[in-house]
Amino acid sequence: MAKSSTIFRNIAFTLFLSTPLAAQEANLTTVVATVNGTELTLAHVLDIKRQLPEQYRNLEDSVLFNGIIEQLVQQQLLASSVETPPSWLPTAMENQERNLLSTNVIEDIRAGALSDAALQSAYQAKFPAGGGEAEYQASHILLETEDKARELLKLLDEGADFATLAQEHSTGPSGPRGGDLGWFGKGQMVKPFEDAVLNMEPGTYTGPVQTQFGYHLILLRDRRVMAPPSFEEVRGELEVELQNAAVEAHLRALMDEADVTLLSDGIDPSVLSTLDQ
């Protein structure tokens, strides 16, 4: 398709035909041009249109129609000038057929995977009522050694102010802010830190918690549940997920029924660079 669209971009859209086909009773076998005796039909024209990028398919029909015909004529002239077809041509045609057929199957599966009922069901499963994402507001004091962390933990137990200790001792960038990390959700903090926060109650502190950054004393200030996004906000995301799931399920079913034998283990992948057709 890249080669076809390149030629298409470089041609001038001129009125090619002397008799407009729109006035004829046209069908797929209607001949739109002949090149040295080779007939080009409306089926060829429609196939080119199907393969064009969207910005070309949206052109006015009269412009697109004549432009595609000129492209086909140029391609036929160039193709017929080849005296000896390259040795890789049959293989390329096999791959092209395989690609076109598999792409058509995928498009049909993706189209059939979507319905209002399926989308609503996916939305409810992903965002159950009252099941918004939890967020946490926490502060921490980051220290280089466990001994130092336990020393400050003892001061907290004796009533020391967490923010003051963070300003005076924390080695992390949040130290000057009293260790304040703001609000964050699951997956935004390293796992040991997140695991500790998930098991805390607001207003409590814990530690030392070791991560690759050092030893943390953690104060959970608050927790809240965010409202889930509206259906329309995530509709596009749900559509992609349903379509991908449908394609994957179809492929799994085909694989389960197929007799597939992989024979590539003994082949050096460097043949991609050393072997020519």
Side-chain angles (χ1 to χ4, degrees):
M1 187 57 238
K3 294 180 181 177
S4 176
S5 62
T6 299
I7 296 173
F8 193 84
R9 286 196 297 269
N10 291 333
I11 66 175
F13 292 138
T14 58
L15 293 177
F16 182 79
L17 300 180
S18 58
T19 304
L21 284 176
Q24 302 177 15
E25 187 66 32
N27 56 55
L28 293 179
T29 62
T30 299
V31 177
V32 297
T34 62
V35 180
N36 295 326
T38 297
E39 294 183 341
L40 303 174
T41 68
L42 275 176
H44 294 116
V45 173
L46 292 172
D47 181 66
I48 293 294
K49 177 187 176 183
R50 180 179 56 80
Q51 298 181 60
L52 288 174
E54 185 175 357
Q55 66 264 34
Y56 292 112
R57 294 199 304 270
N58 290 335
L59 289 171
E60 183 179 340
D61 283 346
S62 61
V63 174
L64 186 61
F65 182 71
N66 290 288
I68 291 176
I69 293 173
E70 186 165 349
Q71 174 182 336
L72 284 168
V73 168
Q74 292 186 4
Q75 287 179 332
Q76 181 59 37
L77 287 169
L78 292 169
S80 62
S81 70
V82 176
E83 295 182 1
T84 303
S87 61
W88 47 258
L89 183 60
T91 304
M93 293 179 69
E94 289 178 6
N95 277 339
Q96 181 73 350
E97 180 181 8
R98 187 166 24 247
N99 176 61
L100 290 171
L101 290 174
S102 62
T103 298
N104 187 66
V105 171
I106 289 174
E107 289 175 351
D108 288 345
I109 294 171
R110 290 172 64 85
L114 299 182
S115 68
D116 288 340
L119 287 167
Q120 287 290 348
S121 177
Y123 174 75
Q124 292 169 9
K126 191 168 186 176
F127 305 102
E133 291 290 330
E135 287 194 329
Y136 306 88
Q137 185 184 39
S139 298
H140 78 143
I141 304 172
L142 179 61
L143 302 156
E144 294 181 354
T145 67
E146 184 178 4
D147 288 343
K148 184 64 176 180
R150 293 197 177 280
E151 177 185 329
L152 295 190
L153 182 62
K154 182 178 179 182
L155 294 177
L156 288 172
D157 291 340
E158 294 173 353
D161 180 66
F162 193 98
T164 300
L165 290 180
Q167 291 170 342
E168 294 175 350
H169 300 282
S170 182
T171 61
S174 65
R177 303 192 304 272
D180 184 18
L181 297 171
W183 289 96
F184 56 88
K186 291 185 67 173
Q188 292 183 257
M189 297 295 179
V190 292
K191 190 169 181 0
F193 192 102
E194 178 181 283
D195 289 345
V197 169
L198 293 180
N199 292 311
M200 295 174 65
E201 293 297 325
T204 64
Y205 58 85
T206 191
V209 174
Q210 185 179 10
T211 72
Q212 64 263 44
F213 303 108
Y215 294 85
H216 306 256
L217 300 179
I218 305 169
L219 170 64
L220 180 60
R221 297 188 177 278
D222 202 358
R223 176 192 291 132
R224 67 187 180 190
V225 176
M226 300 296 292
S230 70
F231 174 75
E232 289 303 325
E233 287 177 319
V234 295
R235 183 187 183 103
E237 174 185 327
L238 295 173
E239 288 178 350
V240 172
E241 291 176 359
L242 284 177
Q243 290 174 326
N244 289 345
V247 172
E248 291 171 6
H250 186 75
L251 275 171
R252 282 197 301 271
L254 292 176
M255 287 293 292
D256 289 342
E257 298 177 0
D259 180 13
V260 178
T261 304
L262 298 179
L263 304 173
S264 57
D265 285 349
I267 301 175
D268 188 340
S270 66
V271 296
L272 289 175
S273 301
T274 60
L275 191 63
D276 291 324
Q277 281 185 313

